[in-house]
Amino acid sequence: MKNSTRVSFLSILSIALAVSVQAQLLLTEDFAGAAGTALTSASWVLSGTNNTNPLTIGSPGLTFSGYPGSGVGNALPMTNNGQDLYRSFTATNSGSVYLSFMVNVSAALTGDYFIALSPSSSQTNYYARLHVKSSGSGYSFGMNKSNEVTGGAKYGTTVCNLNATYLVVIKYSFTGPAADTLNDPINVYVFGSGANIAAEPATPEISGYVVNTRTDAADLSSVTLRQGSSTAAPTIVIDGIRVSKSWNTMLTGVESTKSSIPATFSLSQNYPNPFNPSTAIRFQLPTASFATLKVFDVLGREVATLVNEMRLAGSHVVRWDGLSSPSGVYVYRLTAGEVSTQSGGRSVETRTMILLR
């Protein structure tokens, strides 16, 4: 019995090694280089002429439960009055653009922005500028659409703790019939430790921020990291930057389906793959079913049970943290007991993934 199980899993492995990952994130930055590496050697480009306090990768990376960039690679310390860098992605001018990242603020001053988005027409024309300013014993996040001065940044009401890691998501929505209208809104979501990030919240920290005296971005095509004024800018560590077109893509790297109820049973390729140490696994159920999702090594030994319960019809995403498992190829298998198939009975689908340290 053991030998047949081993042969079965090795057969699955031989078929599935040629896996293509359908990554559809516009940008991913996990600062995977060694500590001390200049960020300009990793696809980031100087913005402006200031080369003091060059941005260099630091260690360790940040963690936030459920976020794909958690614990991957290292991180980036940022101070003030120094080098600013940008990294480009495929320009987009419709729907929404989601910019997400983990951030840990150790010092906050009077308020300045440290990250922004830019259009292809002018990399230094910053949109969706995220600010941090001191508030009581902690700090608050604020938003500027562009370079408006009257009223300054709009700040949220949550006072965040210094030296704690938060997940921040900025959503810029293109709403006008053409570029350069005045009504594109920006939402900012802020999540503390233990928060559920599986779905986009109904109430943002900063909701529908619109400045009708500033033209909208014609498109968005780059992320800028900025070290601002020495009297106003925060001291932070940032990590796990993602740019995507949907909340689901931000978490899984795969575009969400248009229909809320899928037509067929399916198990998607995990993302990222290869991964270290965690990865997201997405599956679809056309009807409510008792589902089991397990992870095995190539010898057929069970490593983890990720799902073992009734699940509603729809798309589901779970994560596997392989922190305690060695590098190698793993098999994950989804079984759903009450999904009808052409042959009747249970539906089973299996894929492989690679943990690479």
Side-chain angles (χ1 to χ4, degrees):
M1 186 66 176
K2 289 183 179 179
N3 288 337
S4 63
T5 302
R6 180 179 300 182
V7 170
S8 173
F9 275 88
L10 290 176
S11 298
I12 292 169
L13 172 62
S14 65
I15 294 172
L17 275 176
V19 171
S20 62
V21 179
Q22 296 179 335
Q24 296 175 2
L25 289 164
L26 297 174
L27 182 148
T28 302
E29 179 57 79
D30 291 318
F31 305 106
T37 301
L39 201 56
T40 50
S41 66
S43 302
W44 291 82
V45 180
L46 182 66
S47 175
T49 59
N50 189 348
N51 254 322
T52 60
N53 292 333
L55 290 170
T56 58
I57 295 173
S59 179
L62 300 179
T63 60
F64 192 95
S65 179
Y67 186 62
S70 175
V72 181
N74 284 309
L76 183 73
M78 297 175 62
T79 56
N80 50 54
N81 193 28
Q83 184 187 66
D84 302 333
L85 300 178
Y86 74 94
R87 182 175 168 186
S88 298
F89 55 87
T90 302
T92 184
N93 62 2
S94 63
S96 296
V97 173
Y98 291 78
L99 169 61
S100 59
F101 50 88
M102 297 172 287
V103 63
N104 188 304
V105 178
S106 57
L109 299 174
T110 58
D112 205 347
Y113 67 98
F114 64 92
I115 192 168
L117 295 164
S118 295
S120 57
S121 60
S122 174
Q123 183 277 317
T124 56
N125 187 10
Y126 305 124
Y127 283 83
R129 306 177 182 199
L130 188 70
H131 295 243
V132 162
K133 76 169 182 179
S134 176
S135 179
S137 60
Y139 67 93
S140 297
F141 288 104
M143 173 56 59
N144 267 132
K145 178 180 180 180
S146 183
N147 61 342
E148 64 274 8
V149 176
T150 303
K154 177 182 178 181
Y155 282 87
T157 58
T158 300
V159 177
C160 299
N161 296 321
L162 294 171
N163 302 305
T165 298
Y166 290 83
L167 175 67
V168 177
V169 183
I170 301 169
K171 178 185 180 182
Y172 186 105
S173 297
F174 294 94
T175 58
D180 297 329
T181 57
L182 301 170
N183 61 349
D184 286 354
I186 304 170
N187 288 345
V188 179
Y189 304 88
V190 179
F191 300 91
S193 176
N196 183 358
I197 64 171
E200 184 173 341
T203 305
E205 172 69 12
I206 301 173
S207 179
Y209 179 59
V210 175
V211 178
N212 58 16
T213 58
R214 293 293 170 183
T215 56
D216 300 335
D219 61 23
L220 293 172
S221 68
S222 63
V223 175
T224 295
L225 298 174
R226 179 176 179 268
Q227 298 184 109
S229 163
S230 60
T231 60
T235 301
I236 70 168
V237 174
I238 190 170
D239 193 9
I241 299 173
R242 302 285 189 273
V243 178
S244 61
K245 290 283 290 176
S246 73
W247 194 276
N248 184 71
T249 307
M250 176 186 80
L251 295 178
T252 67
V254 180
E255 292 291 353
S256 58
T257 57
K258 292 183 179 180
S259 172
S260 59
I261 304 299
T264 59
F265 168 90
S266 67
L267 176 64
S268 298
Q269 186 62 49
N270 65 299
Y271 181 84
N273 188 45
F275 64 96
N276 178 27
S278 64
T279 189
I281 299 173
R282 184 168 175 258
F283 63 93
Q284 295 184 330
L285 301 174
T287 62
S289 311
F290 190 92
T292 302
L293 179 61
K294 294 186 176 184
V295 179
F296 303 86
D297 64 19
V298 293
L299 299 180
R301 297 175 298 198
E302 183 177 324
V303 175
T305 298
L306 306 181
V307 177
N308 189 38
E309 62 187 3
M310 282 295 300
R311 286 290 181 109
L312 297 176
S315 295
H316 304 267
V317 179
V318 296
R319 298 194 64 79
W320 180 47
D321 188 339
L323 192 62
S324 60
S325 298
S327 296
V329 177
Y330 291 85
V331 177
Y332 59 102
R333 183 177 66 200
L334 174 67
T335 303
E338 298 177 16
V339 177
S340 60
T341 62
Q342 291 181 349
S343 58
R346 296 160 68 84
S347 293
V348 180
E349 191 167 346
T350 303
R351 289 182 178 268
T352 61
M353 56 186 170
I354 301 173
L355 173 58
L356 185 61
R357 299 194 185 282

